[in-house]
Amino acid sequence: MFDAIEQWCARIEQEPLRPAPGSSLANDDAVFPPLPASSVAYNGLLTAVEHLDFFRAALTATRTLYPAAYYTVLRSALMGSAQAVWVLMPPNPATRAEHSLRIAVDSYKQERKRINELTNLTDDQQLVVAQSIAKIGTRLSEAAAAANTLGINGSTVAKWQLNMTMVIKEAIDLAFPDGTEESTAIRESIGMLWRSQSGHAHGVPHSRLSRVRSTDVVSRADGTAYARSTTQIADIGVAATAPTFLTSEGWRHYDRGCGI
């Protein structure tokens, strides 16, 4: 996996590959030019590669098995790679365009939330904020118009919410489409990984408690107990496999979509 990650790191240091005229990805881009499908997918791949490389660098440099930290980094890699696969792999062009549009709309909404958190602004700053909010409103209106061209009621765009659990599930189904027992097991295990990694990212107790082995529990005389949470290199390797595989699929379909 580390060899693949290093190759992807070298790739993202170069100018991004652009879709060739007439390619499937160029056609997808035409649905919503302000934030085209190729850019949405490439952003997902960038996110995945950056976090995978951070994981690789940290593990290589420290040789330390942090009980939770690697899983939060790999969670972000899984989110990025899943978004890329979700946009690039559906065989139906309208589905690909809709998925890209949904991510774009969510991005605009998240940006608007961030800007609305700004307070105690000067008059000049308030003007800039107002202009930014207005631009986002324009982009959302354009997204609604794009939805109409896809046969989707544009008035529903304002209510769209991006569900990453659903995105990851559908990306996994796209990457492992057959109904074999092995593919089913892989899909289920990645779903469990996502839930576990999300718990670590949110700092909830159950995820850290899940990293405690019964042999690590120390009982006190007063009936209470404590334990140190740990992890194993095999568990970290499994967690890294999912985003690495999805990233590989993402690059393959990005290149094919560009006409390569």
Side-chain angles (χ1 to χ4, degrees), residues 5-248:
I5 292 167
E6 289 181 345
Q7 291 175 15
W8 296 333
C9 285
R11 174 167 181 170
I12 64 175
E13 290 298 320
Q14 307 301 315
E15 180 180 342
L17 180 67
R18 298 181 64 184
S23 64
S24 62
L25 197 46
N27 293 335
D28 293 346
D29 285 354
V31 174
F32 189 61
L35 189 52
S38 60
S39 294
V40 172
Y42 198 84
N43 176 74
L45 292 170
L46 282 174
T47 299
V49 172
E50 180 179 335
H51 285 83
L52 285 170
D53 189 48
F54 183 87
F55 153 70
R56 180 196 64 80
L59 182 60
T60 301
T62 68
R63 314 297 294 180
T64 301
L65 299 180
Y66 295 101
Y70 291 127
Y71 297 108
T72 63
V73 173
L74 293 171
R75 175 183 184 266
S76 294
L78 181 60
M79 292 173 70
S81 60
Q83 288 183 62
V85 166
W86 196 56
V87 169
L88 294 167
M89 282 193 67
N92 187 324
T95 302
R96 295 196 302 269
E98 179 188 347
H99 288 179
S100 176
L101 191 62
R102 285 184 176 274
I103 293 175
V105 167
D106 182 72
S107 177
Y108 290 129
K109 288 182 177 180
Q110 295 298 333
E111 183 181 5
R112 184 168 60 188
K113 288 179 182 178
R114 177 180 62 83
I115 293 174
N116 282 332
E117 289 295 322
L118 297 171
T119 58
N120 300 320
L121 303 177
T122 65
D123 290 343
D124 289 342
Q125 291 170 334
Q126 288 175 349
L127 178 61
V128 172
V129 165
Q131 292 171 341
S132 298
I133 294 295
K135 183 177 180 180
I136 292 172
T138 299
R139 292 289 183 245
L140 290 173
S141 295
E142 293 170 343
N148 285 329
T149 67
L150 296 173
I152 303 169
N153 185 349
S155 64
T156 64
V157 168
K159 299 179 181 179
W160 281 3
Q161 291 184 331
L162 189 67
N163 185 326
M164 275 308 305
T165 298
M166 179 200 70
V167 169
I168 290 171
K169 180 182 182 303
E170 293 186 3
I172 295 168
D173 289 343
L174 288 164
F176 299 95
D178 60 74
T180 64
E181 183 176 344
E182 181 182 15
S183 291
T184 300
I186 290 172
R187 289 197 297 267
E188 291 178 351
S189 66
I190 296 176
M192 286 294 292
L193 279 170
W194 163 246
R195 290 298 187 184
S196 175
Q197 291 166 347
S198 294
H200 286 303
H202 290 276
V204 296
H206 81 81
S207 287
R208 189 171 292 275
L209 288 171
S210 72
R211 306 306 315 171
V212 175
R213 295 177 298 180
S214 59
T215 54
D216 294 328
V217 177
V218 179
S219 299
R220 299 187 181 99
D222 63 0
T224 61
Y226 70 93
R228 181 187 300 276
S229 60
T230 60
T231 193
Q232 307 298 317
I233 188 63
D235 294 333
I236 294 175
V238 169
T241 298
T244 301
F245 180 81
L246 289 180
T247 301
S248 178

